[in-house]
Amino acid sequence: MCIDVRKTCECSTHTVQFHLRDNIMPPQVISRLFCPSCPGNSAFDNESMLYDNGWIIEYDMDLARTMLEKKLQTYPEDVVPGFIFDKGFACWQEMYPGEQKDIKKDREKIIKLLKEDRNVYLHAMQNWNIERIERLKTAGWRKVQQA
């Protein structure tokens, strides 16, 4: 069973959905979320925070280490924010926050091609996805770098 995990950033501008792989982590492992617009009055802590293209996720590292040690026999010293995110234990549901909204606009344009010519539509969809992934990699989104 998947749990719908959503976290609102500190300035209450954005609510982001998170993926918790295999439900190993409870939702509380994500302590705080900072969007690029959140005031920068909190110092960045490499020990508990992950920076991803202007966004910052703060993890409850004690909880994360306890859960991973208990459920996966992971050494506590191996559990760092990058490990939690990159292994999918607590990461964006999408490739980046807001991806579904951004994709919707692009896909609506391409879907119109389906009514005109199926082959043109298939070609456009394939090219769009390849170009989109390259744009996201160039922009530096962490989850895309792993793909």
Side-chain angles (χ1 to χ4, degrees):
M1 177 172 102
C2 291
I3 299 171
D4 184 25
V5 179
R6 295 176 192 262
K7 189 78 174 173
T8 301
C9 66
E10 291 295 299
C11 72
S12 300
T13 303
H14 301 280
T15 299
V16 175
Q17 190 171 8
F18 283 85
H19 170 73
L20 302 179
R21 182 178 134 203
D22 301 328
N23 294 323
I24 290 172
M25 299 285 185
Q28 298 80 7
V29 76
I30 303 164
S31 299
R32 295 188 297 172
L33 175 67
F34 299 90
C35 76
S37 300
C38 286
N41 55 2
S42 292
F44 185 83
D45 178 12
N46 283 323
E47 299 296 317
S48 65
M49 296 176 162
L50 179 117
Y51 179 85
D52 190 17
N53 219 7
W55 290 77
I56 297 173
I57 305 169
E58 182 178 36
Y59 295 107
D60 179 334
M61 296 306 295
D62 291 333
L63 178 59
R65 288 184 178 106
T66 299
M67 298 308 291
L68 286 169
E69 184 177 16
K70 178 180 170 185
K71 293 185 177 186
L72 298 179
Q73 291 78 46
T74 304
Y75 294 111
E77 59 271 12
D78 292 340
V79 181
V80 296
F83 177 84
I84 295 167
F85 187 92
D86 295 340
K87 297 294 183 183
F89 295 117
C91 63
W92 312 126
Q93 178 70 32
E94 307 164 299
M95 290 291 197
Y96 64 92
E99 178 187 28
Q100 289 301 319
K101 188 169 46 172
D102 293 347
I103 285 176
K104 187 177 179 184
K105 296 172 196 171
D106 291 342
R107 291 184 82 161
E108 286 172 357
K109 293 175 191 172
I110 295 171
I111 288 174
K112 289 179 183 178
L113 296 173
L114 183 58
K115 294 176 185 174
E116 298 171 20
D117 185 332
R118 182 180 168 93
N119 288 332
V120 171
Y121 161 78
L122 291 173
H123 183 70
M125 184 63 84
Q126 182 180 22
N127 285 342
W128 167 77
N129 195 43
I130 291 168
E131 290 168 6
R132 181 178 70 85
I133 295 298
E134 285 306 312
R135 268 193 328 270
L136 297 176
K137 281 184 178 183
T138 300
W141 288 104
R142 189 175 182 115
K143 197 168 180 183
V144 180
Q145 304 299 331
Q146 307 296 321

